[in-house]
Amino acid sequence: MLASVNEWTSVRGQAQDNRQSGSATLQEVARAAGVSLATASRAFNGSATRTVRPDLRERVLAAATALNYTPNANAQAMARGTTNLVGLVVHDIADPFFSAIAAGVMRAADEHGLIVTMGSTQRDPAREVEYVAALRQQRARVLILAGSRFADGETSERLGVEVAAFQAAGGQVAAISQQKLPVNTVVVGNRSGAAGLATTLHGLGYRSFAVLAGPPELLTARDRLAGFRAGLAKVGAELPAGRVVAGEFTRDGGYAAMSELLHRGTDATCVFAVNDVMAVGAMAALRDHGVRLPEEMAVAGFDDIVTLRDVTPALTTVRVPLEDLGVWALRLAVQPPADKPRTQRIRGEVVIRESTPDRSS
Amino acid sequence: MLASVNEWTSVRGQAQDNRQSGSATLQEVARAAGVSLATASRAFNGSATRTVRPDLRERVLAAATALNYTPNANAQAMARGTTNLVGLVVHDIADPFFSAIAAGVMRAADEHGLIVTMGSTQRDPAREVEYVAALRQQRARVLILAGSRFADGETSERLGVEVAAFQAAGGQVAAISQQKLPVNTVVVGNRSGAAGLATTLHGLGYRSFAVLAGPPELLTARDRLAGFRAGLAKVGAELPAGRVVAGEFTRDGGYAAMSELLHRGTDATCVFAVNDVMAVGAMAALRDHGVRLPEEMAVAGFDDIVTLRDVTPALTTVRVPLEDLGVWALRLAVQPPADKPRTQRIRGEVVIRESTPDRSS
DNA sequence: TCCAGATCGGAAAACGCTTTCCAATCACGG
DNA sequence: CCGTGATTGGAAAGCGTTTTCCGATCTGGA
């Protein structure tokens, strides 16, 4: 007798603890509507093969509203075996480059009724791996890797392993601007854009260039440098040794790299920073060193970050439709999985502004 | 006989369909380690009261690694009755104001082992409500509302209802810079910051002001305007009628508002835009209209957006530690729920730069 | 050597939902 | 009026965990 009471109370106790108190369950809705659990479920999901009588459906919906019922997404995920979660991994959400991409991903996700979760790795490859692992644990349906590193062997391999595990668990993957992983990829025309920029600048009369390159292990940075070189080569110009300074892919990195270049002393008349954020840092450095802009030194960037459209002098750059990058990445990812990873190529467009005035005349 | 075969195959079929193929289950790990399901679970969660023998624990962990096992977060959520999801709702993730806050939230969430999901409402109050509903459905543990609208009655009320439902379901809530909802709030010293800016500008010798205000229904914008007015009043100055122009809370809104002001004609010598992004738009408008900066018109903003630190002339503004706002919001939210909503006050700091040179001499 | 007490493993229930399978109900033509 | 087929409601299994309760095994003391 006592035992039985004990059992009862303890079971009750557990039930209460576990319950998200206040959230009605489908079972309760069904009871309120006077139908079975199955019918209530069908009233919501309205399968094509099995219909529920209109009046019953009405009753269920009304009961749901009355009880302020919302389906428990976790329970649905369990029963259905799939979620509607999109995981987006970026280097730094406060960097306008990534927040623009994020905006695109979220817009596209919205169209598909998906929810976006984000992780900001602060450019730490280890955290990138961690985050992918967390998303696998969440059984996210889609993983989007933005700005993945072209890192040293070990971490890069661990990322590959995690991504493979994610896919093995049934997840879809897309990456932006990488080439290592065998996944759907949106590739930015970094080489062609930078090459186009180089020839255009040459056409404007510039002959002596320097480049503020990003970290050597960052693929995007490498490609832009290589493209710029190739573009110069095409018009018979070149980038002498000592004219390339590596730096962080940030505003401060650009500032530091430009300072370094000035410190070394240079006769370049035009400097190409491999992204806009670095270019802005470079402009600040030039100003701080009393170099007149753009008369004594012209500056060009890459990306055409919207937030930076109003710097003075207005920055010559290569416009990349960043938000579209995000949109395309999600679209690639949600397509029915193919045998081979797909690729979507997006080209940049050279935009000449005041920071590189015409010198040809 | 046939029926039984049918049953078997269909059950099998369902099992296969529902399974996230490739993801090992705890059951499988347990079997591989030669222990029971319960023991395997305990090996991972290591409750204080119930321990598992070290050698068994080792076996389980090894089996898990071998099978590449990850716990299913959805199943855990069901069993535990709670998730580790944080929902963050912002107006526009591409706006540096919000991406800075997001960075802060993510940093703090990371410390607590929480995962952040984000929704960008594009300043549409209806989508804000939708997003909160989605988070309730996910049974998110924490909801953070950044830049909530001080909207018209109806939508605002619907938001209130949704938020209440979220709380009723056991969720914790924090908001940034709002006063309507009875939830934990991080309040920014908008009034005091703007007032400080006004008196400082007055001290620099400015006497004739204009304000590019945000949308009237946005609480933050109203407070900054009111604070600026109050600051002027304190030093015996005022803001005549016709010197306040409303506009969107964006770069283009600032551009439009400034254009409008110039179009009307004004003898103001200093214009205060209620945020930095608008201020930058205003500077662009001034430039396009041939007004010299800062000689003919001084400009001040609010927020001290990092990405905009390098505009020229450098922008006078009120520095708000945006990332800290996010950190504090999360901290408030994860504190054990109190009977009364808590408030964390964060003050801004006036930063004078070149856009408002000293006129007093 | 044996027993009390402590320790630890395992069966089973519970979380909230979806979906299958079967049975009951209904309309209808012969 | 009855049998047939189409339609729809409901019971139950299953998704992958956590946690309780009970029973089995071990330790050490007399």
Side-chain angles (χ1 to χ4, degrees):
Chain A
M1 194 58 171
L2 190 68
S4 121
V5 167
N6 255 337
E7 194 178 346
W8 185 83
T9 48
S10 71
V11 165
R12 242 340 247 172
Q14 189 201 353
Q16 284 185 334
D17 286 348
N18 272 359
R19 269 290 291 290
Q20 295 261 7
S21 50
S23 265
T25 69
L26 185 55
Q27 181 66 262
E28 288 164 7
V29 171
R31 192 156 30 229
V35 302
S36 83
L37 179 57
T39 305
S41 175
R42 287 197 273 255
F44 283 107
N45 304 324
S47 118
T49 52
R50 299 292 275 94
T51 67
V52 356
R53 236 190 311 143
D55 58 324
L56 286 194
R57 164 195 234 85
E58 275 314 307
R59 284 225 307 269
V60 172
L61 264 36
T65 308
L67 293 175
N68 207 356
Y69 167 78
T70 311
N72 182 326
N74 292 298
Q76 290 182 314
M78 287 240 50
R80 300 210 243 249
T82 173
T83 66
N84 57 352
L85 220 60
V86 173
L88 172 61
V89 182
V90 300
H91 280 344
D92 178 6
I93 187 56
D95 182 326
F97 176 82
F98 291 108
S99 53
I101 291 178
V105 170
M106 289 178 44
R107 183 153 58 81
D110 219 73
E111 293 168 7
H112 293 263
L114 300 169
I115 290 225
V116 178
T117 93
M118 296 209 354
S120 185
T121 65
Q122 310 308 315
R123 301 189 154 76
D124 176 353
R127 297 195 45 172
E128 197 162 19
V129 174
E130 275 173 34
Y131 211 77
V132 175
L135 289 168
R136 174 156 74 107
Q137 181 161 356
Q138 297 289 332
R139 300 299 189 267
R141 188 147 101 195
V142 170
L143 167 66
I144 294 183
L145 258 19
S148 192
R149 264 180 184 280
F150 175 66
D152 51 275
E154 199 227 340
T155 333
S156 156
E157 192 172 330
R158 287 211 298 138
L159 180 62
V161 169
E162 264 306 320
V163 169
F166 183 88
Q167 288 179 304
Q172 310 254 102
V173 184
I176 293 175
S177 200
Q178 62 83 38
Q179 293 168 7
K180 285 303 192 185
L181 267 25
V183 299
N184 298 317
T185 300
V186 179
V187 345
V188 180
N190 284 321
R191 286 193 130 83
S192 61
L197 180 63
T199 57
T200 306
L201 290 174
H202 190 270
L204 286 176
Y206 292 95
R207 290 297 176 269
S208 180
F209 299 93
V211 175
L212 309 183
E217 70 275 18
L218 201 55
L219 191 67
T220 299
R222 291 162 72 122
D223 281 352
R224 290 177 183 179
L225 172 57
F228 197 78
R229 265 219 170 83
L232 287 183
K234 208 161 67 178
V235 292
E238 63 168 2
L239 209 51
R243 289 290 187 73
V244 177
V245 186
E248 289 285 297
F249 218 47
T250 61
R251 184 266 182 203
D252 291 348
Y255 188 99
M258 189 72 236
S259 300
E260 161 77 13
L261 188 65
L262 290 173
H263 188 72
R264 284 190 202 166
T266 181
D267 54 357
T269 55
C270 179
V271 57
F272 167 49
V274 295
N275 73 23
D276 281 0
V277 179
M278 290 183 74
V280 166
M283 287 168 79
L286 287 168
R287 232 172 247 127
D288 288 355
H289 286 76
V291 178
R292 279 180 312 135
L293 230 56
E295 294 81 8
E296 294 181 77
M297 183 72 84
V299 177
F302 203 113
D303 287 340
D304 197 25
I305 299 288
V306 173
T307 321
L308 298 178
R309 294 242 172 108
D310 290 306
V311 300
T312 40
L315 191 60
T316 286
T317 189
V318 179
R319 172 177 304 162
V320 179
L322 295 174
E323 212 176 310
D324 290 351
L325 253 48
V327 171
W328 275 110
L330 188 80
R331 292 217 180 121
L332 280 185
V334 295
Q335 280 181 13
D339 39 342
K340 273 190 150 185
R342 273 177 262 257
T343 294
Q344 173 70 36
R345 177 158 243 109
I346 298 212
R347 298 183 71 94
E349 177 196 354
V350 176
V351 182
I352 299 299
R353 298 208 182 96
E354 300 150 22
S355 68
T356 58
D358 194 337
R359 288 283 156 76
S360 60
S361 48
Chain B
M1 195 58 169
L2 190 67
S4 121
V5 168
N6 254 338
E7 193 178 346
W8 186 83
T9 48
S10 72
V11 166
R12 242 340 247 174
Q14 188 201 353
Q16 284 187 334
D17 286 347
N18 273 1
R19 271 288 292 291
Q20 295 261 9
S21 49
S23 265
T25 69
L26 186 56
Q27 181 67 261
E28 288 164 6
V29 171
R31 191 155 30 228
V35 301
S36 82
L37 180 57
T39 305
S41 175
R42 286 197 275 255
F44 284 107
N45 304 324
S47 114
T49 52
R50 298 292 275 96
T51 68
V52 350
R53 236 189 312 144
D55 58 323
L56 286 192
R57 165 197 233 84
E58 276 314 307
R59 286 226 307 268
V60 172
L61 264 35
T65 308
L67 294 174
N68 207 357
Y69 167 79
T70 310
N72 182 326
N74 293 121
Q76 289 183 314
M78 288 240 49
R80 299 211 242 249
T82 173
T83 67
N84 57 352
L85 220 60
V86 174
L88 172 62
V89 183
V90 300
H91 281 345
D92 178 7
I93 188 55
D95 182 325
F97 176 82
F98 292 108
S99 54
I101 290 177
V105 170
M106 289 177 44
R107 182 154 58 81
D110 219 72
E111 292 168 6
H112 293 263
L114 300 169
I115 290 226
V116 178
T117 94
M118 297 209 352
S120 186
T121 64
Q122 310 308 318
R123 301 188 155 75
D124 176 353
R127 296 197 44 173
E128 197 162 18
V129 174
E130 275 174 35
Y131 211 77
V132 175
L135 288 168
R136 174 155 74 107
Q137 180 161 355
Q138 297 288 334
R139 300 301 187 268
R141 188 146 103 196
V142 170
L143 167 66
I144 295 182
L145 259 19
S148 192
R149 267 181 181 280
F150 175 66
D152 49 276
E154 200 227 339
T155 333
S156 158
E157 193 173 329
R158 287 212 298 139
L159 180 62
V161 170
E162 264 305 321
V163 169
F166 182 88
Q167 288 179 305
Q172 311 254 102
V173 184
I176 293 175
S177 200
Q178 63 82 39
Q179 292 170 7
K180 285 304 194 184
L181 266 25
V183 299
N184 297 317
T185 301
V186 180
V187 344
V188 179
N190 285 320
R191 286 192 131 86
S192 60
L197 181 63
T199 57
T200 306
L201 290 173
H202 190 271
L204 286 176
Y206 293 95
R207 289 298 176 268
S208 180
F209 299 92
V211 175
L212 309 183
E217 70 275 17
L218 202 55
L219 191 66
T220 299
R222 291 161 73 123
D223 282 351
R224 290 177 182 178
L225 172 57
F228 197 78
R229 265 219 170 84
L232 288 183
K234 208 161 66 178
V235 291
E238 62 169 1
L239 209 51
R243 289 289 188 73
V244 177
V245 186
E248 290 285 298
F249 218 47
T250 62
R251 184 267 181 202
D252 292 347
Y255 188 98
M258 190 71 237
S259 299
E260 161 77 12
L261 187 66
L262 290 173
H263 188 73
R264 284 190 202 167
T266 181
D267 54 0
T269 55
C270 178
V271 57
F272 166 50
V274 294
N275 73 24
D276 281 0
V277 179
M278 290 183 74
V280 167
M283 287 168 79
L286 288 167
R287 232 173 247 125
D288 288 355
H289 286 76
V291 179
R292 278 180 311 136
L293 229 55
E295 295 82 7
E296 294 181 78
M297 182 72 83
V299 177
F302 204 113
D303 286 340
D304 198 25
I305 300 288
V306 174
T307 320
L308 299 178
R309 293 243 173 109
D310 290 305
V311 300
T312 40
L315 191 60
T316 287
T317 188
V318 178
R319 173 177 304 162
V320 179
L322 295 174
E323 213 175 309
D324 290 352
L325 252 49
V327 170
W328 275 110
L330 189 79
R331 293 218 180 119
L332 280 186
V334 296
Q335 280 181 12
D339 40 343
K340 272 189 152 187
R342 272 176 265 257
T343 294
Q344 173 71 35
R345 175 158 244 108
I346 297 211
R347 297 183 71 95
E349 176 197 355
V350 176
V351 182
I352 299 299
R353 299 206 183 95
E354 301 150 22
S355 69
T356 58
D358 193 338
R359 289 284 157 75
S360 60
S361 47

